[in-house]
Amino acid sequence: MVTLLQQRLLQLGCGPLEVDGDFGKQTEAAVRQFQMRFADQDGLPLKIDGEVGSLTWAALFGQQSVSQTLTPQPGHPLLVRMLQLAAAEVGVLEEPPGSNRGARVDQYITRTGLNPNAGNFAWCMCFVYWCFDEAAKQLKVANPCIKTAGVRDHWTKAKKKGIRTITPDQAVQEPALVRPGQLFCLYHSATTGHIGIVESVIGGKLTTIEGNTNTGGSREGIGVFRRTLRPISSVNLGFIDYNA
């Protein structure tokens, strides 16, 4: 694999580089050259870190060279239904914008046990829980999703309960681990974060459905949006996998 990488880098004029199958300092420097000179498959700048993650590999060898996952693992009708429900909610907006309120938003918040009249609540996690809970009710099965309104609380409790989690390093090194139906988790501080639902994974990038966001990806946005082109490498807390 390293030999193939070195040969490709030389073909693209990134060197000097000896084709010896060893990912040493020369190869790392050549990767950095490539990342400085070339964009990813969507024309966006590559991260210049000398590492060959899924986006850099796809830029080197083509998107088809990176595994693509488009559906949840077989045998998980709950996740399939959850994704359908989440997609149907795209376009729900706060009323008024910026208030963390609204008829539908209040339903998301209430489902986690909070009273929307009692405070101003970020609701990205509430939206995720509502999607799981509504799917479970419709299918008459138990809801596996942890009942909480907090992203960091969800992550911590999932790990304690033994629910499968995927670290950022694992996701970058093996993108095929990330699948639709999983939850991506970001942290912004010791107490704040953002969460959303992975709808599809293509070429190292995610299509996600997120609540309390906007087209720019804010964690304090105004509605439910479908977002594209979020790199797997941008997920800094990890993924929660209710497939397992």
Side-chain angles (χ1 to χ4, degrees):
M1 190 73 75
V2 175
T3 298
L4 179 65
L5 170 65
Q6 291 170 331
Q7 290 171 341
R8 181 61 176 153
L9 288 167
L10 284 173
Q11 288 175 358
L12 296 171
C14 298
L17 179 61
E18 183 179 351
V19 179
D20 59 4
D22 177 34
F23 196 102
K25 291 184 177 180
Q26 262 195 348
T27 303
E28 180 182 341
V31 171
R32 288 180 183 274
Q33 283 185 42
F34 174 81
Q35 291 168 330
M36 286 188 286
R37 296 176 185 175
F38 294 87
D40 69 14
Q41 294 290 294
D42 296 299
L44 300 173
L46 292 164
K47 183 178 180 180
I48 304 170
D49 57 7
E51 298 179 5
V52 186
S54 55
L55 295 185
T56 296
W57 187 269
L60 280 160
F61 295 100
Q63 183 167 291
Q64 72 281 357
S65 66
V66 180
S67 60
Q68 302 184 8
T69 56
L70 301 175
T71 58
Q73 294 278 14
H76 288 277
L78 173 67
L79 297 183
V80 173
R81 185 62 185 135
M82 181 273 293
L83 282 167
Q84 292 170 343
L85 287 167
E89 296 297 299
V90 171
V92 169
L93 298 175
E94 296 174 352
E95 303 168 2
S99 66
N100 283 341
R101 296 295 304 275
R104 195 59 156 175
V105 173
D106 285 358
Q107 291 180 26
Y108 304 149
I109 294 171
T110 301
R111 193 65 66 93
T112 61
L114 294 175
N115 178 358
N117 293 310
N120 190 299
F121 301 108
W123 52 274
C124 59
M125 181 63 236
C126 299
F127 168 71
V128 166
Y129 182 78
W130 181 92
C131 292
F132 268 91
D133 200 50
E134 195 68 18
K137 288 179 185 297
Q138 292 184 14
L139 296 178
K140 295 181 169 55
V141 297
N143 179 8
C145 187
I146 293 167
K147 186 175 183 178
T148 177
V151 176
R152 298 299 294 263
D153 185 52
H154 188 186
W155 178 262
T156 300
K157 288 179 177 176
K159 291 177 70 69
K160 286 182 178 178
K161 288 188 68 172
I163 296 167
R164 186 187 185 208
T165 56
I166 300 167
T167 67
D169 284 346
Q170 289 171 328
V172 168
Q173 292 169 13
E174 194 174 348
L177 291 174
V178 181
R179 297 189 61 88
Q182 293 175 355
L183 307 177
F184 76 88
C185 303
L186 306 175
Y187 69 83
H188 299 289
S189 71
T191 57
T192 62
H194 182 63
I195 194 167
I197 300 166
V198 177
E199 185 177 38
S200 66
V201 190
I202 302 178
K205 291 187 178 178
L206 309 173
T207 296
T208 59
I209 301 174
E210 309 170 26
N212 204 182
T213 191
N214 55 26
T215 54
S218 169
R219 69 179 180 87
E220 278 292 351
I222 60 170
V224 179
F225 288 79
R226 176 180 281 110
R227 300 197 64 242
T228 60
L229 305 183
R230 184 189 289 279
I232 287 176
S233 59
S234 71
V235 177
N236 60 7
L237 187 56
F239 297 83
I240 298 175
D241 184 10
Y242 284 104
N243 275 315

